[in-house]
Amino acid sequence: MDAIGDYFDSIVQLPELLTWKGWHLNDRPNGTIFISREIIAIMNNKPKFLPDPASCARGFALSISFWLIVSVLLPNAYYYSYGFSRRYWYSIRNSDFEAVMTFAWLSQIWLFAFYHWGVTKLAEWVEIRRYNRQPEALSAWQHGREGIIAFLTLPAAILMGIPAIAIFMLPVRSSGGALIAVILGTAIASAYLYYFRFGTLLKIILKPLGVFAVNLLKTAEILLVPVITGTPFLLLTLATAEMVPKQLLPLTTFLLVVCVFLSGIVGYAALQYWSAHLVNWAATRWPAESPGYSLLQERKAWKHNKTATGQSFVRHGISWHLAANDATNLIYINAISLILAYISFLLFGDSSKWTQTQAEILGLVALLAWMAPWYFWGWRSEVEIATGKPEGKKKRSPNSNSPPPNPVEQELNQLKAASGINRMKPVRRAARPTPETAEWYVFRSGEAKGPYTKLQLWEIQEITARTKVRQGQAEWVRAGEIPELVPYLTQK
C-alpha cells in the first residue's frame, strides 16, 4: 500500500483540462481526476482521429467481456446437451447460439455497472488520500446507466466491426486466433462509438419513438375508459332489451350512448384526480439522480397536482376540466373513425375483398389519425389546464431607451392633484441601472460554460434548481440554493 501511495503522490491533478466523460467521474464539479504526466503528454500529442484512452478502455472491456463469456459458455452448452460427441462440437445449433449470445449481451449491463462502480471507488479513494475530503457520492442509477449504454452499444459495435474482424481473420489458423480477431475488431468499433458518444446519439434517435409510445398510450386510455365505465350500462341494456317495445329502441340506444359518454367523463376525472396523488407520492420518493426526477418535480408543481391534495374528488374542478378535454378528444376520434370508414369503403369497396396489405395500410392510417388530435391539440390544452394560466405582465417596449418613471415622484404628484395644487413637479426618470457583469458559470456536459449574466442564465442556459453554477471562482453549488438566482430559474 505504501508503494501505491507513493505513486499517487507523484501524479498531478488536471482540473477542467481532461474530461473523462466516458466514466462520468467529472459529473460533479468538485470531482477530481488524477493522471500521470506521461499519460497527459501522450493524450495531448495523439492524432485527433484516434479515440481517447477512456473510450479505448471501455471498448476493449466491452469486447473482451462479451466474447469471453460466449467462448466459455458455448462449448459448455454443447457438452451438457450432447455429451462428448465430436460432431456436435463442430456444429452450431441456432437455439444454443442465440441463448448464449443473449445471456452474454444481457450480462454487460451488470458488468459495466460494476466496472463503473469500481473505477468510481478508486477515484474517490485517491481523492480522499490526496485531499483528505469525502467526494460527492454517486447514485446507483449513474452506475446502471453505464451498463445500459454498453448494452445498447454492443450490437452496433459488432455490426460496424465486421470489416476489422475480416482483416484480422486473414492470418488466423486456429480457434484462439479467431477469438482474438473477433475481440480486436469489436473493440476498435466500440472505442470509436464511445468516442463519438453513440449513447447520446441513440437517445436522440429513440426520443421520437418515446413520444409516439406516450401518445399511443394516451389515445388508448381515451378509447378504453368509456368502454370500461360504460360496460354496466351496456349489460343493463341487453338484459332489459326484451322488456322494452321495439318502438322505443331509438330512445334506448340514445340513452345508452349518453350514459356511456357521461360515465366516461366521470372515469376521466377519477383517473386525472388519482393520477395526481400518484405523481405527488412518487415525486417525494423518487431518487434525485434517477431519470424522470425533474419531470416528476415539474408535474408536482402544476396547479392540478397542488390542489388535488387539499380538495375532494367531487370539488376538484381542474380534474373535471381535464376530463372534459379528454371527452372532446373522444368525440374527435370517433368522428375521424367514421370519416375514415366512409373513405375506405369508397376506395376499397366491400371489406370482405380487402387484401392484407390494404388492411394494414388502412389500420396504420387510422392509428395516426386517432393520435393526431391528441398530439396537436389535446396535449397542449391539457398542459394549459393543469398548469394554470400565468398572470399577464405588462412589458415595456424593447425599443424604449428611457428609464422607467420614478414611482416616488409619481405618488407626490397624485397627492398634490388630490389637494388642489395645479403646479406639478416634472417626473424625473430614475437613474439607469449599472450593467450587470457576466460572472456566472454553468456546469454542463462535464465542463464549465460561461461567463453569463443572471439574465443569460435564464434565457440561454435555462437553468433549473438542480443546475450547478458558480460565481467567479467560487465553489459549485446548485442554483436553487442561491437566493438571488431563484427568480431566474426555469421549471423544466
Side-chain angles (χ1 to χ4, degrees), residues 211-233:
V211 175
F212 179 83
V214 170
N215 285 276
L216 181 61
L217 290 175
K218 181 60 182 182
T219 306
E221 172 197 316
I222 292 175
L223 294 172
L224 291 178
V225 167
V227 174
I228 297 174
T229 58
T231 299
F233 298 99

Side-chain angles (χ1 to χ4, degrees), residues 65-128:
S65 59
F66 174 76
W67 289 113
L68 284 183
I69 292 176
V70 173
S71 63
V72 170
L73 293 183
L74 196 58
N76 289 337
Y78 294 143
Y79 167 75
Y80 288 118
S81 300
Y82 313 112
F84 286 100
S85 178
R86 181 178 295 273
R87 62 189 182 92
Y88 289 115
W89 280 77
Y90 292 99
S91 64
I92 297 179
R93 285 185 38 162
N94 291 334
S95 60
D96 295 328
F97 184 75
E98 292 171 357
V100 171
M101 295 287 284
T102 303
F103 177 80
W105 185 28
L106 292 174
S107 298
Q108 304 311 308
I109 299 177
W110 311 107
L111 284 175
F112 266 73
F114 174 74
Y115 296 158
H116 186 264
W117 175 83
V119 174
T120 302
K121 291 300 180 182
L122 177 61
E124 291 177 353
W125 179 82
V126 174
E127 188 169 348
I128 294 173

Side-chain angles (χ1 to χ4, degrees), residues 246-302:
K246 294 183 179 180
Q247 293 81 357
L248 297 179
L249 183 59
L251 178 60
T252 306
T253 305
F254 174 77
L255 293 176
L256 173 63
V257 173
V258 171
C259 291
V260 171
F261 184 75
L262 294 178
S263 64
I265 295 179
V266 176
Y268 291 143
L271 188 63
Q272 295 288 353
Y273 179 77
W274 292 110
S275 64
H277 285 275
L278 179 62
V279 170
N280 293 340
W281 175 83
T284 58
R285 291 165 174 80
W286 202 264
E289 300 297 334
S290 300
Y293 176 80
S294 58
L295 179 61
L296 283 174
Q297 299 304 321
E298 179 185 356
R299 293 294 295 268
K300 185 181 179 182
W302 283 6

